[in-house]
Amino acid sequence: MLRTRGPRRTITALAIAAAAALAAPTNAVAQPAPVLPEGLNIEALASLAPAIIGAAAGPSDIAGGPQADLLAQARTLLESSNLPESTKATLSKVITFLDGSGGGGPELPPESGPVIAQFLYPTLGKGCISATADSVGTALAVPGPAHLPPPGPKAGQAGFVFTALGTKKPADVQPVPLTVSWVNIDNQKSATQNLTSESKINPDGPATLSAIADTGRGRVLAVISGSLTTQAEGAAPITCSFLPTVGMVVVP
């Protein structure tokens, strides 16, 4: 069961309110219409991601799940906001995953094989393909035991994979790495890890980075964000940043 403190309840509610405040259309970032779902407000969702992880992590000396008033407030904010329905649905999944009432996050993986849990929404990296072309980033989590990403997460581990669509291969040196920050809300383990190209997935591009985390069994929340540096043969490297995206996976 998720354990929480008053300040973390406050920051989660404020984050949801901030997400609602960002619902107004923006022209600051190009939206690749063929890939991104119509009406998905990535900036609003990205503003919520770090606070959700912060609310789930931290000391676990106070028993009990999130207070009913926080969850009621969060849902009220969502229902009364001007967020697109697709964005509201995504945020509702996060809240439901946190309160443990079911319907948030993937089902428990069957013994016959792993479940690939797609992150809740694609993210965007401005100028990742060229000065005038943005990249859509997709992420997934795989509970172990599984063969992918190489060398494969073992039992009690989770693998994370991020792909920057349309980009060249990752540069050998990543000045500011892309990271995955995760917390197991059942055992309170947490960490931030660099995503690397060591697994050699799509070695010629698009840039695909991965990491394997010792999460232990339980419900795991994760945020992937940070920078990516790619380099085509004979060209100068390109460094860009991706907005945070949230993932949820159950490690059996």
Side-chain angles (χ1 to χ4, degrees):
M1 181 174 289
L2 176 64
R3 302 173 188 268
T4 184
R5 286 183 181 272
R8 297 205 309 278
R9 294 198 299 267
T10 302
I11 195 172
T12 304
L14 289 176
I16 294 173
L22 283 173
T26 176
N27 294 321
V29 180
Q31 300 286 329
V35 181
L36 292 176
E38 184 177 356
L40 186 69
N41 192 317
I42 292 179
E43 289 187 334
L45 291 169
S47 73
L48 175 68
I52 284 292
I53 287 291
S60 57
D61 56 330
I62 297 179
Q67 296 296 316
D69 58 349
L70 166 67
L71 299 176
Q73 179 185 6
R75 289 192 173 97
T76 299
L77 285 168
L78 290 180
E79 292 170 1
S80 61
S81 73
N82 293 322
L83 286 169
E85 290 302 319
S86 59
T87 303
K88 288 184 179 180
T90 298
L91 298 182
S92 294
K93 288 180 182 179
V94 175
I95 297 169
T96 305
F97 189 78
L98 284 172
D99 72 13
S101 61
E107 297 291 336
L108 188 69
E111 294 183 0
S112 58
V115 167
I116 295 177
Q118 295 286 345
F119 272 48
L120 290 176
Y121 54 91
T123 182
L124 198 67
K126 189 169 178 60
C128 284
I129 298 175
S130 70
T132 57
D134 304 337
S135 171
V136 172
T138 63
L140 57 85
V142 181
H147 297 297
L148 294 174
K154 300 176 182 178
Q157 295 182 323
F160 298 96
V161 181
F162 182 90
T163 301
L165 301 178
T167 62
K168 302 299 183 181
K169 65 180 182 179
D172 293 334
V173 177
Q174 297 288 319
V176 181
L178 202 68
T179 64
V180 55
S181 296
W182 58 265
V183 56
N184 186 322
I185 65 177
D186 292 311
N187 64 20
Q188 290 298 304
K189 285 186 177 181
S190 64
T192 295
Q193 299 177 218
N194 292 345
L195 296 170
T196 74
S197 57
E198 292 178 3
S199 60
K200 306 297 183 184
I201 303 173
N202 299 331
D204 299 321
T208 302
L209 307 179
S210 65
I212 294 177
D214 291 318
T215 60
R217 298 180 62 183
R219 294 171 293 159
V220 177
L221 280 169
V223 169
I224 289 179
S225 64
S227 297
L228 170 67
T229 299
T230 59
Q231 188 166 18
E233 191 72 28
I238 296 176
T239 298
C240 62
S241 296
F242 281 88
L243 292 169
T245 181
V246 175
M248 305 184 297
V249 64
V250 176
V251 179

